[in-house]
Amino acid sequence: NAGVTQTPKFQVLKTGQSMTLQCAQDMNHEYMSWYRQDPGMGLRLIHYSVGAGITDQGEVPNGYNVSRSTTEDFPLRLLSAAPSQTSVYFCASSYSALGSSYNSPLHFGNGTRLTVT
Amino acid sequence: AQTVTQSQPEMSVQEAETVTLSCTYDTSESDYYLFWYKQPPSRQMILVIRQEAYKQQNATENRFSVNFQKAAKSFSLKISDSQLGDAAMYFCAYRSADRDDKIIFGKGTRLHILP
Protein backbone atom coordinates (compact mmCIF):
# COMPACT_ATOMS: atom_id res chain seq x y z
CA ASN A 1 0.00 0.00 0.00
CA ALA A 2 1.74 3.17 -1.24
CA GLY A 3 -0.30 5.72 0.75
CA VAL A 4 0.32 9.29 -0.44
CA THR A 5 2.92 9.62 -3.19
CA GLN A 6 4.37 13.02 -3.89
CA THR A 7 6.77 13.89 -6.69
CA PRO A 8 9.33 15.29 -7.14
CA LYS A 9 11.24 15.32 -3.84
CA PHE A 10 13.37 18.29 -4.82
CA GLN A 11 12.98 20.96 -7.49
CA VAL A 12 14.81 24.14 -8.44
CA LEU A 13 13.03 26.67 -10.64
CA LYS A 14 13.91 30.02 -12.08
CA THR A 15 11.56 32.93 -11.52
CA GLY A 16 8.72 32.84 -14.03
CA GLN A 17 8.95 29.13 -14.80
CA SER A 18 5.95 26.88 -14.34
CA MET A 19 5.72 23.41 -12.88
CA THR A 20 3.32 20.88 -11.43
CA LEU A 21 3.76 19.05 -8.15
CA GLN A 22 2.15 15.65 -8.36
CA CYS A 23 0.18 13.97 -5.58
CA ALA A 24 -1.55 10.60 -5.71
CA GLN A 25 -3.20 8.47 -3.03
CA ASP A 26 -4.45 4.91 -3.21
CA MET A 27 -6.66 4.87 -0.10
CA ASN A 28 -9.85 6.10 -1.79
CA HIS A 29 -9.78 9.25 0.36
CA GLU A 30 -12.31 11.93 -0.48
CA TYR A 31 -10.30 14.75 1.08
CA MET A 32 -6.99 15.92 -0.38
CA SER A 33 -5.00 19.03 0.39
CA TRP A 34 -1.79 20.93 -0.21
CA TYR A 35 0.23 22.73 2.47
CA ARG A 36 3.38 24.77 2.42
CA GLN A 37 5.76 24.77 5.36
CA ASP A 38 8.01 27.74 6.05
CA PRO A 39 10.19 28.33 9.13
CA GLY A 40 8.17 29.87 11.93
CA MET A 41 4.93 29.70 9.96
CA GLY A 42 3.81 26.13 10.52
CA LEU A 43 1.82 24.42 7.78
CA ARG A 44 -0.38 26.73 5.80
CA LEU A 45 -3.23 25.38 3.70
CA ILE A 46 -2.99 26.28 0.00
CA HIS A 47 -5.92 24.44 -1.59
CA TYR A 48 -8.08 21.49 -0.68
CA SER A 49 -10.67 19.19 -2.22
CA VAL A 50 -13.50 17.15 -0.72
CA GLY A 51 -14.02 15.03 -3.83
CA ALA A 52 -13.49 14.73 -7.56
CA GLY A 53 -14.53 17.92 -9.35
CA ILE A 54 -14.55 19.97 -6.14
CA THR A 55 -11.75 22.29 -5.02
CA ASP A 56 -11.57 25.23 -2.65
CA GLN A 57 -9.06 27.80 -1.53
CA GLY A 58 -7.18 27.57 1.72
CA GLU A 59 -5.24 30.20 3.63
CA VAL A 60 -2.59 31.05 1.00
CA PRO A 61 -3.98 30.20 -2.48
CA ASN A 62 -2.46 33.01 -4.55
CA GLY A 63 -0.03 31.84 -7.23
CA TYR A 64 -1.25 28.24 -7.14
CA ASN A 65 -3.85 26.30 -9.11
CA VAL A 66 -5.32 22.86 -8.47
CA SER A 67 -7.74 20.48 -10.11
CA ARG A 68 -9.29 17.19 -9.01
CA SER A 69 -10.38 15.17 -12.01
CA THR A 70 -10.06 11.83 -10.21
CA THR A 71 -10.33 10.68 -6.60
CA GLU A 72 -6.69 9.57 -6.64
CA ASP A 73 -4.86 12.62 -8.00
CA PHE A 74 -4.55 16.22 -6.83
CA PRO A 75 -1.80 18.11 -8.70
CA LEU A 76 -0.61 21.56 -7.63
CA ARG A 77 0.40 23.97 -10.39
CA LEU A 78 2.68 26.96 -10.12
CA LEU A 79 2.01 29.01 -13.25
CA SER A 80 4.79 31.58 -12.80
CA ALA A 81 7.14 30.74 -9.96
CA ALA A 82 8.31 33.49 -7.61
CA PRO A 83 11.06 33.43 -4.95
CA SER A 84 8.31 33.79 -2.29
CA GLN A 85 7.15 30.31 -3.27
CA THR A 86 10.39 28.76 -2.07
CA SER A 87 9.15 26.32 0.54
CA VAL A 88 8.53 22.71 1.48
CA TYR A 89 5.23 21.45 0.09
CA PHE A 90 3.17 18.64 1.56
CA CYS A 91 0.23 16.81 0.06
CA ALA A 92 -2.13 15.10 2.49
CA SER A 93 -5.33 13.06 2.27
CA SER A 94 -7.98 11.55 4.51
CA TYR A 95 -11.56 10.35 4.58
CA SER A 96 -13.99 13.23 4.71
CA ALA A 97 -15.30 14.37 8.10
CA LEU A 98 -18.50 15.82 6.61
CA GLY A 99 -21.51 13.80 7.69
CA SER A 100 -19.28 11.38 9.53
CA SER A 101 -18.47 10.83 13.17
CA TYR A 102 -15.18 9.16 12.26
CA ASN A 103 -12.17 11.33 13.05
CA SER A 104 -10.01 10.39 10.09
CA PRO A 105 -6.42 11.62 10.41
CA LEU A 106 -4.43 13.15 7.58
CA HIS A 107 -1.97 10.93 5.73
CA PHE A 108 0.96 12.94 4.45
CA GLY A 109 3.31 12.58 1.54
CA ASN A 110 7.04 12.92 2.12
CA GLY A 111 7.18 16.52 0.95
CA THR A 112 8.75 18.46 -1.92
CA ARG A 113 11.49 20.98 -1.31
CA LEU A 114 11.09 23.72 -3.91
CA THR A 115 13.62 26.48 -4.47
CA VAL A 116 12.86 29.40 -6.77
CA THR A 117 15.85 31.51 -7.77
CA ALA B 1 -12.47 31.98 9.95
CA GLN B 2 -10.96 29.43 12.26
CA THR B 3 -7.52 29.97 13.73
CA VAL B 4 -5.09 27.81 15.70
CA THR B 5 -2.57 29.37 18.08
CA GLN B 6 0.46 27.70 19.62
CA SER B 7 1.99 30.27 21.92
CA GLN B 8 5.23 28.42 22.72
CA PRO B 9 7.66 28.45 19.76
CA GLU B 10 10.17 26.32 21.70
CA MET B 11 10.22 24.29 24.88
CA SER B 12 12.71 22.12 26.69
CA VAL B 13 12.17 19.27 29.12
CA GLN B 14 14.45 16.95 31.02
CA GLU B 15 14.39 13.32 29.95
CA ALA B 16 11.80 11.31 31.97
CA GLU B 17 9.96 14.48 33.04
CA THR B 18 6.52 15.67 31.95
CA VAL B 19 5.87 18.56 29.59
CA THR B 20 2.69 20.26 28.38
CA LEU B 21 2.37 21.97 25.01
CA SER B 22 -0.42 24.51 24.67
CA CYS B 23 -2.85 25.06 21.82
CA THR B 24 -5.86 27.32 21.58
CA TYR B 25 -8.25 27.68 18.68
CA ASP B 26 -10.98 30.02 17.62
CA THR B 27 -14.15 28.80 15.95
CA SER B 28 -17.87 29.42 15.85
CA GLU B 29 -18.57 25.83 14.78
CA SER B 30 -19.99 23.19 17.06
CA ASP B 31 -18.73 20.13 15.18
CA TYR B 32 -14.99 19.76 14.72
CA TYR B 33 -11.97 17.57 15.37
CA LEU B 34 -8.58 18.32 16.87
CA PHE B 35 -5.20 16.70 16.31
CA TRP B 36 -1.61 16.79 17.43
CA TYR B 37 1.06 15.88 14.88
CA LYS B 38 4.77 15.37 15.40
CA GLN B 39 7.44 16.21 12.84
CA PRO B 40 10.92 14.83 13.62
CA PRO B 41 14.00 15.96 11.66
CA SER B 42 13.10 13.43 8.95
CA ARG B 43 10.29 15.86 8.00
CA GLN B 44 7.73 13.05 8.15
CA MET B 45 4.38 14.06 9.69
CA ILE B 46 3.24 11.60 12.37
CA LEU B 47 -0.15 11.58 14.08
CA VAL B 48 0.24 11.72 17.87
CA ILE B 49 -3.32 11.95 19.13
CA ARG B 50 -6.81 13.05 18.07
CA GLN B 51 -9.94 14.31 19.81
CA GLU B 52 -13.55 14.65 18.78
CA ALA B 53 -15.22 17.86 19.98
CA TYR B 54 -18.40 15.98 20.87
CA LYS B 55 -16.51 13.75 23.31
CA GLN B 56 -15.99 15.10 26.81
CA GLN B 57 -13.43 12.46 27.71
CA ASN B 58 -9.84 13.46 27.04
CA ALA B 59 -7.97 11.28 24.54
CA THR B 60 -4.90 9.31 25.62
CA GLU B 61 -2.31 7.34 23.66
CA ASN B 62 0.27 5.68 25.89
CA ARG B 63 2.49 8.52 27.23
CA PHE B 64 0.53 11.18 25.35
CA SER B 65 -2.69 12.73 26.62
CA VAL B 66 -4.68 15.86 25.98
CA ASN B 67 -6.53 18.35 28.15
CA PHE B 68 -9.50 19.36 26.01
CA GLN B 69 -11.41 22.34 27.39
CA LYS B 70 -14.17 23.00 24.87
CA ALA B 71 -15.58 26.14 26.48
CA ALA B 72 -12.11 27.67 26.71
CA LYS B 73 -11.22 26.41 23.21
CA SER B 74 -8.04 24.89 24.53
CA PHE B 75 -6.37 21.62 23.50
CA SER B 76 -3.06 21.05 25.29
CA LEU B 77 -0.80 18.02 24.84
CA LYS B 78 0.88 16.37 27.81
CA ILE B 79 3.87 14.13 27.26
CA SER B 80 4.77 11.98 30.26
CA ASP B 81 8.12 10.28 30.84
CA SER B 82 9.72 12.28 28.02
CA GLN B 83 12.15 10.35 25.85
CA LEU B 84 14.92 11.49 23.52
CA GLY B 85 12.84 10.30 20.59
CA ASP B 86 10.13 12.81 21.49
CA ALA B 87 12.34 15.65 20.30
CA ALA B 88 10.49 17.13 17.32
CA MET B 89 8.26 19.89 16.08
CA TYR B 90 4.70 19.49 17.34
CA PHE B 91 1.72 20.89 15.47
CA CYS B 92 -1.82 21.36 16.69
CA ALA B 93 -4.52 21.08 14.01
CA TYR B 94 -8.22 21.88 13.73
CA ARG B 95 -10.62 20.17 11.36
CA SER B 96 -13.96 21.68 10.47
CA ALA B 97 -16.75 19.10 10.30
CA ASP B 98 -19.65 21.56 10.10
CA ARG B 99 -19.19 23.11 6.69
CA ASP B 100 -16.07 22.68 4.61
CA ASP B 101 -13.94 19.89 6.10
CA LYS B 102 -10.73 21.89 5.87
CA ILE B 103 -7.84 21.28 8.24
CA ILE B 104 -5.63 24.10 9.49
CA PHE B 105 -2.50 23.99 11.63
CA GLY B 106 -0.82 26.12 14.24
CA LYS B 107 2.73 27.42 13.83
CA GLY B 108 4.22 24.63 15.89
CA THR B 109 6.26 24.15 19.05
CA ARG B 110 9.79 22.81 18.84
CA LEU B 111 10.40 20.43 21.74
CA HIS B 112 13.93 19.74 22.99
CA ILE B 113 14.64 16.80 25.28
CA LEU B 114 17.58 17.34 27.65
CA PRO B 115 19.49 14.16 28.60
Side-chain angles (χ1 to χ4, degrees):
Chain A
N1 200 349
V4 179
T5 303
Q6 228 184 294
T7 56
K9 290 185 179 179
F10 301 94
Q11 183 70 50
V12 179
L13 291 177
K14 294 188 186 304
T15 297
Q17 287 184 320
S18 63
M19 79 158 297
T20 299
L21 304 184
Q22 301 292 344
C23 177
Q25 52 90 11
D26 61 357
M27 297 170 281
N28 205 30
H29 286 163
E30 303 95 348
Y31 180 91
M32 296 188 74
S33 53
W34 278 100
Y35 295 88
R36 60 177 289 173
Q37 183 175 16
D38 304 289
M41 300 299 292
L43 280 81
R44 291 183 290 172
L45 181 64
I46 303 172
H47 286 285
Y48 65 102
S49 168
V50 297
I54 305 169
T55 63
D56 210 341
Q57 295 182 349
E59 301 166 289
V60 287
N62 292 340
Y64 307 94
N65 282 349
V66 292
S67 60
R68 185 97 180 266
S69 56
T70 67
T71 300
E72 295 78 19
D73 300 298
F74 192 47
L76 178 72
R77 297 183 186 86
L78 285 70
L79 296 179
S80 179
S84 61
Q85 293 178 305
T86 294
S87 187
V88 176
Y89 292 84
F90 285 97
C91 179
S93 72
S94 80
Y95 293 111
S96 175
L98 296 177
S100 169
S101 60
Y102 174 57
N103 188 3
S104 174
L106 276 176
H107 295 255
F108 283 84
N110 290 328
T112 297
R113 183 173 292 277
L114 175 67
T115 302
V116 183
T117 60
Chain B
Q2 300 87 15
T3 58
V4 177
T5 302
Q6 293 180 249
S7 59
Q8 306 148 316
E10 285 194 68
M11 293 191 72
S12 296
V13 63
Q14 210 73 35
E15 195 176 1
E17 296 295 308
T18 296
V19 64
T20 299
L21 309 184
S22 67
C23 172
T24 59
Y25 57 94
D26 189 24
T27 185
S28 59
E29 298 177 331
S30 58
D31 194 12
Y32 53 89
Y33 300 110
L34 299 164
F35 304 85
W36 279 97
Y37 281 87
K38 166 185 176 181
Q39 187 182 43
S42 67
R43 208 171 67 190
Q44 182 184 8
M45 293 290 288
I46 302 166
L47 176 70
V48 175
I49 200 165
R50 47 185 158 166
Q51 174 81 42
E52 295 79 7
Y54 60 82
K55 288 186 178 179
Q56 291 187 341
Q57 186 173 6
N58 290 325
T60 62
E61 288 285 344
N62 300 314
R63 298 183 295 107
F64 299 88
S65 62
V66 298
N67 184 2
F68 174 46
Q69 302 286 332
K70 190 172 184 179
K73 297 178 183 174
S74 172
F75 183 61
S76 60
L77 174 70
K78 186 171 83 171
I79 306 174
S80 303
D81 186 25
S82 297
Q83 300 175 359
L84 294 177
D86 295 332
M89 198 76 173
Y90 286 81
F91 293 100
C92 178
Y94 170 99
R95 180 173 204 164
S96 168
D98 258 357
R99 298 177 204 137
D100 54 20
D101 208 12
K102 70 181 178 185
I103 304 169
I104 58 172
F105 286 78
K107 293 184 178 181
T109 296
R110 183 168 300 281
L111 180 65
H112 303 278
I113 310 296
L114 306 174

